[in-house]
Amino acid sequence: MTAVARTLHRELAVELWEAARTRRPVPPLSVRHPRLDLADAYAIQSETRALELAGGARLAGLKIGATSEAIQKMFGIDHPDFGYLTDRMLLPDGVALDVRRFIAPKVEGEIAFRMARDLSGQSVTAQDVLDAATEVCPVLEVLDSRIEAWQIGLVDTVADNASSAAVVVGAGVSPETVDLAAARMVLLSGNAEYTGNGSAVMGHPAESVACLVRILAGFGSGISAGDLVLAGSWSAAVDLAAGHEVHASFGALGSVSMTTCDRDEACDRTAIGQR
């Protein structure tokens, strides 16, 4: 990588980092810098992660995104991507979320795996993931794009931490509780209802996580014990606005919920944004 490329990566990372804090989106990176490729995008993401860690955040896990046909169609993306999670992004079940902390938030329902041991390498399988997981948790992932009007391609969303902003985490259960591929989700947000099955996520959520491990192998890394790993959305993402009650039920896997607000007296000050 050239010094010029490293300088550009840092500059764009600072742009995205500042956009998240000021809630002022920036024009698409891929339009302003059409020569950026996927390697550049992950380099920008790495620089943004470094800024977060320098500010006191701690890494808490990973997410794989664009794993379902619904999400790929929604955002015009044809390749799974990944991003990082920090401790500041993780929120408790039932949280009141202040939507003023975001630019144009959306929410997805999915499950996450809590890992008991490290996983790495090109040969990791879905069964390896199930064997390594201590529990699976229902989650609501809050997406937000630091790119104007969600005008994103793969390079834009990867650079922007796969458009991840926060994760509401429900109680965990054993991965053996239910067939994860056959499990059904009902997501309620305001007056909208969305449904999905675990099989929408690359045939099985554990296969999605195995795919993530294989992608990470190309970067010389993997999943670590203790990580929370989001496996991908079970349906299309839903726009978030103040006054919504959001609830995702996964049958035997449990449920997770949150409310949204936009007034100090109504919002939980322990929610995202108090940094």
Side-chain angles (χ1 to χ4, degrees):
M1 184 186 300
T2 68
V4 172
R6 285 194 294 271
T7 298
L8 178 60
H9 295 160
R10 293 190 186 108
E11 290 175 352
L12 295 177
V14 170
E15 271 195 32
L16 293 170
W17 190 75
E18 290 289 349
R21 276 140 194 78
T22 62
R23 296 178 296 284
R24 295 177 180 173
V26 299
L29 310 188
S30 59
V31 173
R32 289 182 288 150
H33 304 280
R35 292 186 179 180
L36 289 175
D37 60 17
L38 195 56
D40 293 309
Y42 279 115
I44 295 165
Q45 183 190 120
S46 180
E47 293 285 350
T48 308
R49 180 174 66 243
L51 290 169
E52 291 285 349
L53 299 183
R58 293 183 293 106
L59 290 179
L62 295 155
K63 65 156 286 184
I64 182 169
T67 55
S68 69
E69 184 178 353
I71 293 299
Q72 290 179 359
K73 286 184 176 179
M74 187 172 192
F75 295 117
I77 295 169
D78 61 1
H79 189 283
D81 58 15
F82 70 86
Y84 59 87
L85 306 178
T86 71
D87 59 326
R88 292 174 174 174
M89 297 169 68
L90 303 185
L91 303 172
D93 191 8
V95 69
L97 192 62
D98 188 345
V99 294
R100 294 172 301 180
R101 305 296 180 186
F102 307 100
I103 297 169
K106 301 177 184 290
V107 64
E108 298 174 337
E110 54 192 280
I111 64 169
F113 291 77
R114 180 76 68 182
M115 308 309 296
R117 59 181 176 84
D118 298 352
L119 281 179
S120 62
Q122 293 284 2
S123 60
V124 168
T125 66
Q127 189 59 54
D128 292 330
V129 172
L130 292 170
D131 292 342
T134 57
E135 62 181 8
V136 291
C137 308
V139 301
L140 294 169
E141 182 182 9
V142 178
L143 305 177
D144 197 24
S145 183
R146 277 60 67 166
I147 306 297
E148 288 179 346
W150 282 95
Q151 298 175 49
I152 58 172
L154 185 59
V155 164
D156 299 292
T157 187
V158 166
D160 192 24
N161 194 31
S163 303
S164 194
V167 184
V168 182
V169 184
V173 300
S174 168
E176 300 176 356
T177 299
V178 68
D179 179 350
L180 298 179
R184 184 171 184 268
M185 177 199 74
V186 178
L187 174 65
L188 302 174
S189 180
N191 295 322
E193 177 177 324
Y194 293 77
T195 61
N197 293 85
S199 59
V201 185
M202 301 185 73
H204 193 292
E207 175 55 41
S208 175
V209 175
C211 176
L212 172 59
V213 176
R214 297 192 294 268
I215 293 172
L216 291 170
F219 293 83
S221 63
I223 289 172
S224 300
D227 279 351
L228 186 72
V229 184
L230 275 61
S233 179
W234 291 24
S235 69
V238 186
D239 290 340
L240 272 183
H244 281 188
E245 293 184 6
V246 185
H247 181 86
S249 175
F250 296 81
L253 292 171
S255 62
V256 61
S257 64
M258 67 177 179
T259 57
T260 57
C261 54
D262 64 358
R263 303 189 314 278
D264 288 340
E265 64 271 21
C267 294
D268 181 353
R269 290 181 181 272
T270 66
I272 193 169
Q274 304 302 316
R275 301 183 177 181

